[in-house]
Amino acid sequence: MSSSGREIIVIGGGLAGLTCALMLQKGGQKIQLIEASERIGGRVKTDQIDGFLLDRGFQVFQSSYPTAAKWLDLKSLNLRAFRNGCLLRKDDSFKVVADPWRNPLDSLRSIFAPTGKLSDFSKVARFRQRVRSEKDPYVLLESPQTTAIERLHQCGFSTEIIEDFFKPFYSGVFLEKELTTSSRMLDFTFSMFSRGEATLPADGMEAIPRQLAKQLHPGTIRTQTTVSEIRDGLVKLDDGRSLSCAAIVVATEMPAAARLLQADSSYTYRSTRCVYFDAGNAPVESPSIVLNCDMNSIVNSLCCPSRVQPSYAPENRTLVSVTSIGPLDRSPHDHVEAVRDELREWFGSDVDRWRPLSTYNIPYSLPDQSVANMEQIVKTPRVTDTIYRCGDYCDTRSIDGAIRSGERAAAAVLADLKSASS
Ligand SMILES: Cc1cc2nc3c(=O)[nH]c(=O)nc-3n(C[C@H](O)[C@H](O)[C@H](O)COP(=O)(O)OP(=O)(O)OC[C@H]3O[C@@H](n4cnc5c(N)ncnc54)[C@H](O)[C@@H]3O)c2cc1C
């Protein structure tokens, strides 16, 4: 492949596409990044409504993400962290779990006091030691895998800690309640939680892709432009125009990639819903995530992002974010009322004064991370001599995984250009 001054086209302005474009630009290439929607960011976007910052679906940036740290100026994101640990909602009361990733002993004592399962304390400590023993956490993705739930049983954890902590916590991370996700993702995310903190940027999660986009030369990004078809050296747009190019990187989410690459289109994914409320008083004072131990409830977790980042709400107001897992099976209005009914049991009639700000229904939130799908992670970005791919489905299904896959695709393009010119 030779670029001979022609552009490389990156399709998709999520974190994978932006990182890939940036690395290609740093490698001296001319880039065009084509994004279908109104702005870059992909699944990491933040809307501003009535002075509140609403991330499109509750998500957090792990301060320990190793690849993101290479591409982002974390300092200027002004990250602020949730309190390590969480609150558990069980049997009509709340229990504090101090910090199971760094202080398993204190933390688990706090959950199970006064009975205390001493054996669980040492097992969490051992689990933590194992996932932290590798300097590079991505090595954990090479380990033999089973389901996350099976791995927890293999580690010998008690039913109590699995039901009361691991299930509610990891169902919110994996966006599925049975924990059939690969044990590799359990290891990787446990390692991330134990090495760093769950944070929010001051300007909302979208500040992350915006920081990458700002480094691209002016005119590189073309939004509101959808690619309908690709061939070696040719990109067709849905308005009928065609663009010729030296190489193409498909950096879309998996379903769109399957269409463009005419690849196997059988894929499964995880869905989520997030309701935001404007509340006068914070229902929980601490900057913690509240997990619901009742897996049959509509509410999986709740938090007040503005207790973590005050910029998420106007002065004297509190932003409440409520996450549910699975596809939306009722209208947004009915969903809000069902959420309110459950939360009235938690916080009393204050909940009736909360004003709904927005409900996000995100059918395609994460690609399926089950054992079979993690086995087939698309590690090689080359599809043909001039077509490449990246995206979170090619790596860990995460912000860091998307960035890492973009880096890998750009490295492959640059290597091929170099070998063609030598
Ligand atoms: C609700 C939710 C919660 C999450 N929580 C976390 C979390 O806490 N921590 C974490 O690390 N990760 C989390 N994630 C996952 C993380 O956001 C994603 O893994 C990551 O953003 C994926 O980036 P990407 O670039 O691979 O894909 P995307 O962000 O999906 O980007 C793909 C882009 O391609 C564009 N596109 C598609 N088709 C075309 C076309 N034909 N032509 C042009 N453009 C096209 C799309 O518009 C989109 O902008 C969460 C995701 C969601 C939705």
Side-chain angles (χ1 to χ4, degrees), residues 352-382:
D352 292 315
R353 287 188 288 280
W354 294 0
R355 179 173 67 103
L357 288 164
S358 191
T359 300
Y360 292 94
N361 180 37
I362 310 168
Y364 187 89
S365 292
L366 288 180
D368 186 346
Q369 315 176 90
S370 61
V371 173
N373 284 328
M374 288 299 285
E375 205 60 77
Q376 294 158 14
I377 277 185
V378 193
K379 283 201 191 113
T380 158
R382 280 183 197 84

PDB file of all heavy atoms in Angstrom, residues 352-382:
ATOM      1  N   ASP A 352     -41.015  12.268  45.082  1.00  0.00           N
ATOM      2  CA  ASP A 352     -42.116  12.810  44.287  1.00  0.00           C
ATOM      3  C   ASP A 352     -41.831  14.235  43.816  1.00  0.00           C
ATOM      4  O   ASP A 352     -42.456  14.714  42.881  1.00  0.00           O
ATOM      5  CB  ASP A 352     -43.425  12.767  45.095  1.00  0.00           C
ATOM      6  CG  ASP A 352     -43.860  11.333  45.316  1.00  0.00           C
ATOM      7  OD1 ASP A 352     -43.804  10.553  44.336  1.00  0.00           O
ATOM      8  OD2 ASP A 352     -44.194  10.976  46.461  1.00  0.00           O
ATOM      9  N   ARG A 353     -40.876  14.890  44.489  1.00  0.00           N
ATOM     10  CA  ARG A 353     -40.548  16.265  44.083  1.00  0.00           C
ATOM     11  C   ARG A 353     -39.397  16.298  43.075  1.00  0.00           C
ATOM     12  O   ARG A 353     -39.050  17.352  42.577  1.00  0.00           O
ATOM     13  CB  ARG A 353     -40.199  17.104  45.327  1.00  0.00           C
ATOM     14  CG  ARG A 353     -41.436  17.436  46.167  1.00  0.00           C
ATOM     15  CD  ARG A 353     -41.125  18.416  47.279  1.00  0.00           C
ATOM     16  NE  ARG A 353     -40.350  17.810  48.357  1.00  0.00           N
ATOM     17  CZ  ARG A 353     -40.883  17.049  49.319  1.00  0.00           C
ATOM     18  NH1 ARG A 353     -42.194  16.816  49.350  1.00  0.00           N
ATOM     19  NH2 ARG A 353     -40.133  16.518  50.261  1.00  0.00           N
ATOM     20  N   TRP A 354     -38.808  15.153  42.782  1.00  0.00           N
ATOM     21  CA  TRP A 354     -37.717  15.123  41.801  1.00  0.00           C
ATOM     22  C   TRP A 354     -38.304  15.385  40.409  1.00  0.00           C
ATOM     23  O   TRP A 354     -39.330  14.810  40.024  1.00  0.00           O
ATOM     24  CB  TRP A 354     -37.014  13.773  41.775  1.00  0.00           C
ATOM     25  CG  TRP A 354     -36.258  13.425  43.034  1.00  0.00           C
ATOM     26  CD1 TRP A 354     -36.147  14.171  44.174  1.00  0.00           C
ATOM     27  CD2 TRP A 354     -35.522  12.224  43.267  1.00  0.00           C
ATOM     28  NE1 TRP A 354     -35.380  13.520  45.104  1.00  0.00           N
ATOM     29  CE2 TRP A 354     -34.976  12.319  44.581  1.00  0.00           C
ATOM     30  CE3 TRP A 354     -35.252  11.087  42.516  1.00  0.00           C
ATOM     31  CZ2 TRP A 354     -34.201  11.308  45.126  1.00  0.00           C
ATOM     32  CZ3 TRP A 354     -34.482  10.086  43.061  1.00  0.00           C
ATOM     33  CH2 TRP A 354     -33.954  10.193  44.357  1.00  0.00           C
ATOM     34  N   ARG A 355     -37.612  16.229  39.645  1.00  0.00           N
ATOM     35  CA  ARG A 355     -38.081  16.564  38.293  1.00  0.00           C
ATOM     36  C   ARG A 355     -37.288  15.738  37.269  1.00  0.00           C
ATOM     37  O   ARG A 355     -36.061  15.847  37.207  1.00  0.00           O
ATOM     38  CB  ARG A 355     -37.851  18.067  38.054  1.00  0.00           C
ATOM     39  CG  ARG A 355     -38.280  18.559  36.682  1.00  0.00           C
ATOM     40  CD  ARG A 355     -38.176  20.079  36.588  1.00  0.00           C
ATOM     41  NE  ARG A 355     -36.815  20.575  36.657  1.00  0.00           N
ATOM     42  CZ  ARG A 355     -36.097  20.993  35.606  1.00  0.00           C
ATOM     43  NH1 ARG A 355     -36.638  20.975  34.403  1.00  0.00           N
ATOM     44  NH2 ARG A 355     -34.868  21.445  35.761  1.00  0.00           N
ATOM     45  N   PRO A 356     -37.972  14.920  36.447  1.00  0.00           N
ATOM     46  CA  PRO A 356     -37.233  14.148  35.434  1.00  0.00           C
ATOM     47  C   PRO A 356     -36.606  15.105  34.408  1.00  0.00           C
ATOM     48  O   PRO A 356     -37.283  16.004  33.918  1.00  0.00           O
ATOM     49  CB  PRO A 356     -38.306  13.287  34.768  1.00  0.00           C
ATOM     50  CG  PRO A 356     -39.513  13.374  35.636  1.00  0.00           C
ATOM     51  CD  PRO A 356     -39.425  14.647  36.411  1.00  0.00           C
ATOM     52  N   LEU A 357     -35.332  14.906  34.128  1.00  0.00           N
ATOM     53  CA  LEU A 357     -34.642  15.776  33.156  1.00  0.00           C
ATOM     54  C   LEU A 357     -34.548  15.101  31.793  1.00  0.00           C
ATOM     55  O   LEU A 357     -34.765  15.726  30.758  1.00  0.00           O
ATOM     56  CB  LEU A 357     -33.223  16.091  33.651  1.00  0.00           C
ATOM     57  CG  LEU A 357     -33.124  17.049  34.832  1.00  0.00           C
ATOM     58  CD1 LEU A 357     -31.745  16.984  35.483  1.00  0.00           C
ATOM     59  CD2 LEU A 357     -33.405  18.475  34.371  1.00  0.00           C
ATOM     60  N   SER A 358     -34.208  13.828  31.803  1.00  0.00           N
ATOM     61  CA  SER A 358     -34.093  13.098  30.538  1.00  0.00           C
ATOM     62  C   SER A 358     -33.985  11.600  30.815  1.00  0.00           C
ATOM     63  O   SER A 358     -33.478  11.200  31.869  1.00  0.00           O
ATOM     64  CB  SER A 358     -32.845  13.570  29.788  1.00  0.00           C
ATOM     65  OG  SER A 358     -32.865  13.077  28.480  1.00  0.00           O
ATOM     66  N   THR A 359     -34.477  10.810  29.883  1.00  0.00           N
ATOM     67  CA  THR A 359     -34.318   9.349  29.971  1.00  0.00           C
ATOM     68  C   THR A 359     -33.552   8.887  28.740  1.00  0.00           C
ATOM     69  O   THR A 359     -33.963   9.179  27.615  1.00  0.00           O
ATOM     70  CB  THR A 359     -35.696   8.653  30.006  1.00  0.00           C
ATOM     71  OG1 THR A 359     -36.398   9.132  31.138  1.00  0.00           O
ATOM     72  CG2 THR A 359     -35.565   7.142  30.093  1.00  0.00           C
ATOM     73  N   TYR A 360     -32.450   8.219  28.948  1.00  0.00           N
ATOM     74  CA  TYR A 360     -31.664   7.698  27.827  1.00  0.00           C
ATOM     75  C   TYR A 360     -31.878   6.198  27.733  1.00  0.00           C
ATOM     76  O   TYR A 360     -31.647   5.475  28.705  1.00  0.00           O
ATOM     77  CB  TYR A 360     -30.169   7.987  28.019  1.00  0.00           C
ATOM     78  CG  TYR A 360     -29.843   9.454  27.924  1.00  0.00           C
ATOM     79  CD1 TYR A 360     -29.771  10.257  29.061  1.00  0.00           C
ATOM     80  CD2 TYR A 360     -29.638  10.046  26.683  1.00  0.00           C
ATOM     81  CE1 TYR A 360     -29.493  11.609  28.959  1.00  0.00           C
ATOM     82  CE2 TYR A 360     -29.356  11.401  26.577  1.00  0.00           C
ATOM     83  CZ  TYR A 360     -29.283  12.168  27.722  1.00  0.00           C
ATOM     84  OH  TYR A 360     -29.012  13.504  27.623  1.00  0.00           O
ATOM     85  N   ASN A 361     -32.319   5.781  26.575  1.00  0.00           N
ATOM     86  CA  ASN A 361     -32.467   4.358  26.305  1.00  0.00           C
ATOM     87  C   ASN A 361     -31.373   4.001  25.318  1.00  0.00           C
ATOM     88  O   ASN A 361     -31.338   4.536  24.212  1.00  0.00           O
ATOM     89  CB  ASN A 361     -33.856   4.107  25.700  1.00  0.00           C
ATOM     90  CG  ASN A 361     -34.061   2.656  25.393  1.00  0.00           C
ATOM     91  OD1 ASN A 361     -33.601   1.798  26.137  1.00  0.00           O
ATOM     92  ND2 ASN A 361     -34.744   2.357  24.294  1.00  0.00           N
ATOM     93  N   ILE A 362     -30.437   3.150  25.712  1.00  0.00           N
ATOM     94  CA  ILE A 362     -29.283   2.884  24.852  1.00  0.00           C
ATOM     95  C   ILE A 362     -29.240   1.387  24.536  1.00  0.00           C
ATOM     96  O   ILE A 362     -28.621   0.594  25.261  1.00  0.00           O
ATOM     97  CB  ILE A 362     -27.971   3.330  25.542  1.00  0.00           C
ATOM     98  CG1 ILE A 362     -28.154   4.763  26.052  1.00  0.00           C
ATOM     99  CG2 ILE A 362     -26.781   3.236  24.592  1.00  0.00           C
ATOM    100  CD1 ILE A 362     -27.091   5.231  26.988  1.00  0.00           C
ATOM    101  N   PRO A 363     -29.962   0.989  23.473  1.00  0.00           N
ATOM    102  CA  PRO A 363     -30.021  -0.445  23.167  1.00  0.00           C
ATOM    103  C   PRO A 363     -28.625  -1.035  22.977  1.00  0.00           C
ATOM    104  O   PRO A 363     -28.293  -2.056  23.558  1.00  0.00           O
ATOM    105  CB  PRO A 363     -30.827  -0.503  21.864  1.00  0.00           C
ATOM    106  CG  PRO A 363     -31.585   0.781  21.811  1.00  0.00           C
ATOM    107  CD  PRO A 363     -30.742   1.796  22.528  1.00  0.00           C
ATOM    108  N   TYR A 364     -27.786  -0.358  22.173  1.00  0.00           N
ATOM    109  CA  TYR A 364     -26.426  -0.882  21.955  1.00  0.00           C
ATOM    110  C   TYR A 364     -25.466  -0.126  22.870  1.00  0.00           C
ATOM    111  O   TYR A 364     -24.909   0.899  22.513  1.00  0.00           O
ATOM    112  CB  TYR A 364     -26.000  -0.727  20.489  1.00  0.00           C
ATOM    113  CG  TYR A 364     -24.671  -1.398  20.196  1.00  0.00           C
ATOM    114  CD1 TYR A 364     -24.619  -2.730  19.795  1.00  0.00           C
ATOM    115  CD2 TYR A 364     -23.480  -0.721  20.355  1.00  0.00           C
ATOM    116  CE1 TYR A 364     -23.407  -3.358  19.556  1.00  0.00           C
ATOM    117  CE2 TYR A 364     -22.254  -1.342  20.122  1.00  0.00           C
ATOM    118  CZ  TYR A 364     -22.232  -2.653  19.715  1.00  0.00           C
ATOM    119  OH  TYR A 364     -21.025  -3.284  19.490  1.00  0.00           O
ATOM    120  N   SER A 365     -25.310  -0.638  24.088  1.00  0.00           N
ATOM    121  CA  SER A 365     -24.402   0.025  25.029  1.00  0.00           C
ATOM    122  C   SER A 365     -23.027  -0.619  24.977  1.00  0.00           C
ATOM    123  O   SER A 365     -22.009   0.054  24.838  1.00  0.00           O
ATOM    124  CB  SER A 365     -24.947  -0.070  26.456  1.00  0.00           C
ATOM    125  OG  SER A 365     -26.123   0.695  26.580  1.00  0.00           O
ATOM    126  N   LEU A 366     -23.007  -1.938  25.106  1.00  0.00           N
ATOM    127  CA  LEU A 366     -21.727  -2.668  25.078  1.00  0.00           C
ATOM    128  C   LEU A 366     -21.876  -3.900  24.191  1.00  0.00           C
ATOM    129  O   LEU A 366     -22.931  -4.543  24.215  1.00  0.00           O
ATOM    130  CB  LEU A 366     -21.364  -3.173  26.478  1.00  0.00           C
ATOM    131  CG  LEU A 366     -20.915  -2.187  27.539  1.00  0.00           C
ATOM    132  CD1 LEU A 366     -20.627  -2.942  28.836  1.00  0.00           C
ATOM    133  CD2 LEU A 366     -19.662  -1.441  27.095  1.00  0.00           C
ATOM    134  N   PRO A 367     -20.820  -4.253  23.450  1.00  0.00           N
ATOM    135  CA  PRO A 367     -20.865  -5.544  22.769  1.00  0.00           C
ATOM    136  C   PRO A 367     -20.850  -6.641  23.834  1.00  0.00           C
ATOM    137  O   PRO A 367     -20.336  -6.436  24.929  1.00  0.00           O
ATOM    138  CB  PRO A 367     -19.556  -5.574  21.963  1.00  0.00           C
ATOM    139  CG  PRO A 367     -18.948  -4.219  22.067  1.00  0.00           C
ATOM    140  CD  PRO A 367     -19.555  -3.546  23.253  1.00  0.00           C
ATOM    141  N   ASP A 368     -21.445  -7.765  23.506  1.00  0.00           N
ATOM    142  CA  ASP A 368     -21.447  -8.916  24.408  1.00  0.00           C
ATOM    143  C   ASP A 368     -19.989  -9.292  24.740  1.00  0.00           C
ATOM    144  O   ASP A 368     -19.134  -9.318  23.865  1.00  0.00           O
ATOM    145  CB  ASP A 368     -22.130 -10.070  23.657  1.00  0.00           C
ATOM    146  CG  ASP A 368     -22.333 -11.277  24.532  1.00  0.00           C
ATOM    147  OD1 ASP A 368     -21.737 -11.330  25.610  1.00  0.00           O
ATOM    148  OD2 ASP A 368     -23.083 -12.169  24.109  1.00  0.00           O
ATOM    149  N   GLN A 369     -19.740  -9.551  26.017  1.00  0.00           N
ATOM    150  CA  GLN A 369     -18.368  -9.904  26.432  1.00  0.00           C
ATOM    151  C   GLN A 369     -18.325 -11.319  26.973  1.00  0.00           C
ATOM    152  O   GLN A 369     -17.578 -11.614  27.902  1.00  0.00           O
ATOM    153  CB  GLN A 369     -17.891  -8.940  27.509  1.00  0.00           C
ATOM    154  CG  GLN A 369     -18.208  -7.500  27.201  1.00  0.00           C
ATOM    155  CD  GLN A 369     -17.814  -6.551  28.312  1.00  0.00           C
ATOM    156  OE1 GLN A 369     -16.696  -6.048  28.324  1.00  0.00           O
ATOM    157  NE2 GLN A 369     -18.699  -6.296  29.252  1.00  0.00           N
ATOM    158  N   SER A 370     -19.220 -12.171  26.438  1.00  0.00           N
ATOM    159  CA  SER A 370     -19.261 -13.536  26.970  1.00  0.00           C
ATOM    160  C   SER A 370     -18.016 -14.311  26.516  1.00  0.00           C
ATOM    161  O   SER A 370     -17.251 -13.842  25.669  1.00  0.00           O
ATOM    162  CB  SER A 370     -20.532 -14.243  26.512  1.00  0.00           C
ATOM    163  OG  SER A 370     -20.515 -14.306  25.114  1.00  0.00           O
ATOM    164  N   VAL A 371     -17.867 -15.508  27.080  1.00  0.00           N
ATOM    165  CA  VAL A 371     -16.649 -16.290  26.857  1.00  0.00           C
ATOM    166  C   VAL A 371     -16.362 -16.457  25.363  1.00  0.00           C
ATOM    167  O   VAL A 371     -15.250 -16.181  24.885  1.00  0.00           O
ATOM    168  CB  VAL A 371     -16.778 -17.665  27.557  1.00  0.00           C
ATOM    169  CG1 VAL A 371     -15.613 -18.567  27.206  1.00  0.00           C
ATOM    170  CG2 VAL A 371     -16.880 -17.458  29.072  1.00  0.00           C
ATOM    171  N   ALA A 372     -17.390 -16.866  24.590  1.00  0.00           N
ATOM    172  CA  ALA A 372     -17.161 -17.126  23.159  1.00  0.00           C
ATOM    173  C   ALA A 372     -16.731 -15.842  22.454  1.00  0.00           C
ATOM    174  O   ALA A 372     -15.801 -15.856  21.638  1.00  0.00           O
ATOM    175  CB  ALA A 372     -18.433 -17.668  22.532  1.00  0.00           C
ATOM    176  N   ASN A 373     -17.373 -14.734  22.790  1.00  0.00           N
ATOM    177  CA  ASN A 373     -17.037 -13.483  22.100  1.00  0.00           C
ATOM    178  C   ASN A 373     -15.672 -12.941  22.494  1.00  0.00           C
ATOM    179  O   ASN A 373     -14.996 -12.318  21.683  1.00  0.00           O
ATOM    180  CB  ASN A 373     -18.113 -12.424  22.364  1.00  0.00           C
ATOM    181  CG  ASN A 373     -19.354 -12.695  21.544  1.00  0.00           C
ATOM    182  OD1 ASN A 373     -19.258 -13.216  20.440  1.00  0.00           O
ATOM    183  ND2 ASN A 373     -20.508 -12.383  22.074  1.00  0.00           N
ATOM    184  N   MET A 374     -15.272 -13.161  23.730  1.00  0.00           N
ATOM    185  CA  MET A 374     -13.946 -12.677  24.132  1.00  0.00           C
ATOM    186  C   MET A 374     -12.849 -13.532  23.490  1.00  0.00           C
ATOM    187  O   MET A 374     -11.736 -13.083  23.306  1.00  0.00           O
ATOM    188  CB  MET A 374     -13.794 -12.693  25.664  1.00  0.00           C
ATOM    189  CG  MET A 374     -14.598 -11.628  26.372  1.00  0.00           C
ATOM    190  SD  MET A 374     -14.163  -9.937  25.914  1.00  0.00           S
ATOM    191  CE  MET A 374     -12.620  -9.706  26.768  1.00  0.00           C
ATOM    192  N   GLU A 375     -13.195 -14.782  23.155  1.00  0.00           N
ATOM    193  CA  GLU A 375     -12.235 -15.661  22.482  1.00  0.00           C
ATOM    194  C   GLU A 375     -11.966 -15.115  21.085  1.00  0.00           C
ATOM    195  O   GLU A 375     -10.867 -15.219  20.555  1.00  0.00           O
ATOM    196  CB  GLU A 375     -12.847 -17.066  22.399  1.00  0.00           C
ATOM    197  CG  GLU A 375     -11.857 -18.211  22.287  1.00  0.00           C
ATOM    198  CD  GLU A 375     -10.905 -18.289  23.469  1.00  0.00           C
ATOM    199  OE1 GLU A 375     -11.303 -18.767  24.548  1.00  0.00           O
ATOM    200  OE2 GLU A 375      -9.756 -17.859  23.287  1.00  0.00           O
ATOM    201  N   GLN A 376     -13.044 -14.511  20.508  1.00  0.00           N
ATOM    202  CA  GLN A 376     -12.913 -14.064  19.116  1.00  0.00           C
ATOM    203  C   GLN A 376     -12.567 -12.583  19.004  1.00  0.00           C
ATOM    204  O   GLN A 376     -12.874 -11.964  17.994  1.00  0.00           O
ATOM    205  CB  GLN A 376     -14.249 -14.274  18.394  1.00  0.00           C
ATOM    206  CG  GLN A 376     -14.640 -15.709  18.241  1.00  0.00           C
ATOM    207  CD  GLN A 376     -16.134 -15.873  18.021  1.00  0.00           C
ATOM    208  OE1 GLN A 376     -16.837 -14.914  17.741  1.00  0.00           O
ATOM    209  NE2 GLN A 376     -16.608 -17.079  18.160  1.00  0.00           N
ATOM    210  N   ILE A 377     -11.977 -12.010  20.052  1.00  0.00           N
ATOM    211  CA  ILE A 377     -11.597 -10.599  19.959  1.00  0.00           C
ATOM    212  C   ILE A 377     -10.783 -10.394  18.684  1.00  0.00           C
ATOM    213  O   ILE A 377      -9.892 -11.182  18.380  1.00  0.00           O
ATOM    214  CB  ILE A 377     -10.750 -10.187  21.192  1.00  0.00           C
ATOM    215  CG1 ILE A 377     -11.671  -9.846  22.351  1.00  0.00           C
ATOM    216  CG2 ILE A 377      -9.882  -9.008  20.885  1.00  0.00           C
ATOM    217  CD1 ILE A 377     -10.946  -9.319  23.559  1.00  0.00           C
ATOM    218  N   VAL A 378     -11.151  -9.345  17.930  1.00  0.00           N
ATOM    219  CA  VAL A 378     -10.520  -9.152  16.628  1.00  0.00           C
ATOM    220  C   VAL A 378      -9.207  -8.415  16.847  1.00  0.00           C
ATOM    221  O   VAL A 378      -9.164  -7.189  16.830  1.00  0.00           O
ATOM    222  CB  VAL A 378     -11.439  -8.318  15.712  1.00  0.00           C
ATOM    223  CG1 VAL A 378     -10.955  -8.384  14.276  1.00  0.00           C
ATOM    224  CG2 VAL A 378     -12.878  -8.797  15.816  1.00  0.00           C
ATOM    225  N   LYS A 379      -8.151  -9.195  17.100  1.00  0.00           N
ATOM    226  CA  LYS A 379      -6.891  -8.520  17.463  1.00  0.00           C
ATOM    227  C   LYS A 379      -6.171  -7.987  16.242  1.00  0.00           C
ATOM    228  O   LYS A 379      -5.429  -7.035  16.318  1.00  0.00           O
ATOM    229  CB  LYS A 379      -5.992  -9.491  18.221  1.00  0.00           C
ATOM    230  CG  LYS A 379      -6.457  -9.643  19.647  1.00  0.00           C
ATOM    231  CD  LYS A 379      -5.342 -10.158  20.521  1.00  0.00           C
ATOM    232  CE  LYS A 379      -5.860 -10.549  21.868  1.00  0.00           C
ATOM    233  NZ  LYS A 379      -5.784 -11.978  22.131  1.00  0.00           N
ATOM    234  N   THR A 380      -6.413  -8.646  15.091  1.00  0.00           N
ATOM    235  CA  THR A 380      -5.709  -8.134  13.925  1.00  0.00           C
ATOM    236  C   THR A 380      -6.582  -7.117  13.202  1.00  0.00           C
ATOM    237  O   THR A 380      -7.691  -7.421  12.777  1.00  0.00           O
ATOM    238  CB  THR A 380      -5.246  -9.263  12.973  1.00  0.00           C
ATOM    239  OG1 THR A 380      -5.057  -8.690  11.690  1.00  0.00           O
ATOM    240  CG2 THR A 380      -6.233 -10.401  12.890  1.00  0.00           C
ATOM    241  N   PRO A 381      -6.091  -5.885  13.107  1.00  0.00           N
ATOM    242  CA  PRO A 381      -6.918  -4.838  12.509  1.00  0.00           C
ATOM    243  C   PRO A 381      -7.004  -4.917  10.988  1.00  0.00           C
ATOM    244  O   PRO A 381      -7.862  -4.306  10.382  1.00  0.00           O
ATOM    245  CB  PRO A 381      -6.221  -3.543  12.947  1.00  0.00           C
ATOM    246  CG  PRO A 381      -4.860  -3.918  13.400  1.00  0.00           C
ATOM    247  CD  PRO A 381      -4.835  -5.379  13.668  1.00  0.00           C
ATOM    248  N   ARG A 382      -6.113  -5.702  10.357  1.00  0.00           N
ATOM    249  CA  ARG A 382      -6.109  -5.740   8.883  1.00  0.00           C
ATOM    250  C   ARG A 382      -7.261  -6.587   8.359  1.00  0.00           C
ATOM    251  O   ARG A 382      -7.392  -7.753   8.692  1.00  0.00           O
ATOM    252  CB  ARG A 382      -4.808  -6.363   8.371  1.00  0.00           C
ATOM    253  CG  ARG A 382      -3.657  -5.420   8.376  1.00  0.00           C
ATOM    254  CD  ARG A 382      -2.413  -6.063   7.783  1.00  0.00           C
ATOM    255  NE  ARG A 382      -1.266  -5.268   8.176  1.00  0.00           N
ATOM    256  CZ  ARG A 382      -0.637  -5.413   9.338  1.00  0.00           C
ATOM    257  NH1 ARG A 382      -1.024  -6.321  10.204  1.00  0.00           N
ATOM    258  NH2 ARG A 382       0.390  -4.640   9.629  1.00  0.00           N
TER     259      ARG A 382
END
